[in-house]
Amino acid sequence: MGEECDEGDRMPSDTCKNCRIPFCGDGVVDTGRGEQCDEGAAMPSDTCRADCTIPICGDGIVDEDEVCDDGANGNDMDGCRDDCTIPICGDGILDAGEMCDDGANNGNDMDGCRADCTFCGDGVVDARHGEECDEGDMMPSDTCVACKRPTPAPVVAETIPPTPAPVVPPTPAPVVPPTPAPVVPPTPAPVVPPTPAPVVPPTPAPVVPPTPAPTRAPETFPPRETAGPTPAPTCKCSSTASYDAATTSLTLDFDMCGEPPLESDWIGIYPCNAETMVATQEWWDAILLNPGYIGEPGATMEDYGFVPGTEYPLAQQAWWSYTCSSPGEGIVPCQQLETTEWPSQGSVTIDPATAPNWAFWGDSMGGTLAPGCYKVLLNRNLPRESISPPPIPMVCPGQAWLTANEFNVPAP
C-alpha cells in the first residue's frame, strides 16, 4: 500500500500522519518537530527557510529586506548594526571619522552637530567642542582657520651689518742694492813639464763569451671580474612602529613612496586578532543600496580608495596619529596648520606622558596600550558625506593586512 508508518489510533502524531512520516517540506507545519513554517515545494522563500524556520534579523543570513546580517553578536561597531543595517552618519552612534552624531537632531544649529556629522564650519562658535571661532564658508581667513585663531608670526628685528674697517695697504721696505766685493786676480801656479812614463804594451785579456740569461715566459693572470652596479633598493609603501616599554611611547615611521599625500592621512594601530573583511562587489552593492548612502550614484569602491580582494580590519584602532604632527604638539590637528604641503615620508611619536588626554573629533585616545600584538596601517579618511567606516581605505595600493608591520607590547 506504500505505507511508511502505521500507528493505528495514535495517528496523526509527530512521527506518523496518514501512514506517512512527517518531514520539513511536506507542506504541513509540525510544531512538535520544531517547525516554524512549511511551504512545501515553494521553499526556500522570503517567509520560510529550507529548514522550516522563519527568516529574522540576527540569524547570520542577509535577506532581501536586510543590508547585512552578522548574527546576534551584540557588536554595533563591527560594520553591521544589530538591526541589520550598515553604520551611517545620522544613526545616533559616533563612528570613526565622525566629529559628532546626534541622530535626528543633526542639522540643529543649537545642538551643535551638522547634517554631515561635523560641527566646524556652521557659523556658530561651539565652545564645548573647542572652537575659538567659526566663520562658516569664509574659512580659512586671516582671523579663523579650521575654527581656531591663527598664531601670529613672530616679529623679527632688522639686523644692520657692521661697518667694515678701512683697509690700509702696508708701506713697502726700501730696496738697498748690495755692495760688490773687490775682485782679486788669482796667482798663476808655476808650470812644470811632466816626465814621460815608459810605454809598456798591454797584455790582451782572454775573450770569454757571455753566458746567455735563461728566457722566462711572461706571467699571465686571469682577467679581473668587474662588479656590476648595486641595484637601488625598492621602496615599499608602508608604516612601521617602534615601542618603548620604559616610556610606553610609540614611534611611527612612514614612507608613501611617491603616493600623493593628503592632510587627513593617519597611522592606525590595530589589534592583530581584529576581525577582518575582504572588499567584494557584493559588499559594495549593499553599500549603494543602503538608504543612508548619500554619495555619488553609481560610484565604484575604487572611487573611495578600496581595492577589490583586499582584506580590511573591522575593529576600532587602539591608537592613531596624523602623519603631519605628533599628538601633544599643541593638540592641533593637521587641518589647523597653516600649510598646503603635507609629508609623504617622516616620523611621529605618541607619548602618553605628553598627551594623556589627546582627542580628535570627539574620539578620546588616552591611557597606554594593553599588552599584546598590534599591526600598523597607513590609513586615508573616507569623505564624511558618503559612508561611515569601518572599513577604512589605505594610502598604499595593495597594502596587505597579513603582511602589515607588527609589534608586541610586553606585560608589565
Side-chain angles (χ1 to χ4, degrees):
M1 298 294 292
E3 293 183 346
E4 297 178 351
C5 60
D6 193 330
E7 296 182 357
D9 295 338
R10 293 196 304 275
M11 296 188 298
S13 69
D14 292 337
T15 57
C16 192
K17 291 182 180 180
N18 298 325
C19 295
R20 297 285 182 180
I21 298 175
F23 63 93
C24 176
D26 58 6
V28 178
V29 179
D30 297 310
T31 57
R33 301 177 68 253
E35 293 184 352
Q36 299 174 350
C37 57
D38 195 324
E39 298 179 358
M43 299 186 302
S45 68
D46 293 339
T47 55
C48 193
R49 298 255 190 255
D51 60 354
C52 294
T53 58
I54 298 175
I56 60 171
C57 174
D59 58 6
I61 300 176
V62 179
D63 296 304
E64 184 176 355
D65 59 344
E66 297 176 345
V67 180
C68 61
D69 194 327
D70 58 358
N73 61 0
N75 185 359
D76 272 343
M77 305 304 292
D78 61 354
C80 185
R81 301 280 193 235
D82 285 344
D83 60 356
C84 296
T85 60
I86 292 178
I88 60 172
C89 173
D91 58 7
I93 299 176
L94 183 64
D95 297 301
E98 296 179 344
M99 291 183 181
C100 55
D101 196 329
D102 292 341
N105 290 326
N106 283 357
N108 185 344
D109 289 343
M110 300 306 296
D111 178 70
C113 191
R114 300 166 67 186
D116 60 354
C117 294
T118 63
F119 48 78
C120 179
D122 57 4
V124 178
V125 178
D126 298 308
R128 63 175 180 164
H129 291 141
E131 292 186 351
E132 299 175 356
C133 56
D134 196 325
E135 298 181 358
D137 295 337
M138 301 299 294
M139 296 186 297
S141 68
D142 294 339
T143 57
C144 193
V145 177
C147 298
K148 293 291 184 179
R149 297 292 185 190
T151 303
V155 178
V156 180
E158 182 180 1
T159 302
I160 301 176
T163 302
V167 179
V168 180
T171 303
V175 178
V176 179
T179 303
V183 179
V184 180
T187 302
V191 179
V192 179
T195 302
V199 177
V200 179
T203 302
V207 178
V208 180
T211 302
T215 302
R216 184 177 181 181
E219 187 175 0
T220 60
F221 297 92
R224 177 178 298 177
E225 295 182 0
T226 303
T230 302
T234 302
C235 183
K236 180 181 179 183
C237 182
S238 63
S239 54
T240 59
S242 176
Y243 181 74
D244 187 340
T247 61
T248 67
S249 64
L250 195 62
T251 299
L252 305 169
D253 298 308
F254 64 93
D255 192 342
M256 300 182 188
C257 297
E259 285 294 316
L262 297 179
E263 60 180 294
S264 59
D265 291 338
W266 52 280
I267 306 173
I269 309 302
Y270 300 86
C272 292
N273 60 354
E275 183 180 356
T276 61
M277 61 154 282
V278 176
T280 62
Q281 190 59 45
E282 290 77 12
W283 163 74
W284 185 250
D285 290 341
I287 293 290
L288 298 180
L289 293 174
N290 192 315
Y293 174 76
I294 58 175
E296 187 69 23
T300 65
M301 69 176 78
E302 291 89 340
D303 294 336
Y304 287 90
F306 294 105
V307 179
T310 298
E311 188 175 9
Y312 297 92
L314 293 177
Q316 290 281 18
Q317 59 277 4
W319 275 8
W320 61 346
S321 172
Y322 273 105
T323 58
C324 62
S325 63
S326 296
E329 294 181 353
I331 316 182
V332 178
C334 303
Q335 286 87 344
Q336 298 174 5
L337 300 178
E338 292 185 354
T339 178
T340 57
E341 295 183 2
W342 314 103
S344 62
Q345 180 183 10
S347 177
V348 295
T349 299
I350 302 177
D351 189 348
T354 59
N357 295 311
W358 178 66
F360 168 64
W361 291 6
D363 187 7
S364 178
M365 184 183 71
T368 58
L369 286 175
C373 174
Y374 294 90
K375 285 179 178 283
V376 187
L377 290 181
L378 199 52
N379 291 129
R380 174 158 288 169
N381 264 355
L382 281 165
R384 299 188 200 101
E385 74 279 2
S386 56
I387 61 178
S388 296
I392 300 172
M394 305 177 203
V395 174
C396 306
Q399 184 178 11
W401 167 256
L402 292 178
T403 59
N405 176 251
E406 295 183 4
F407 69 94
N408 284 294
V409 175

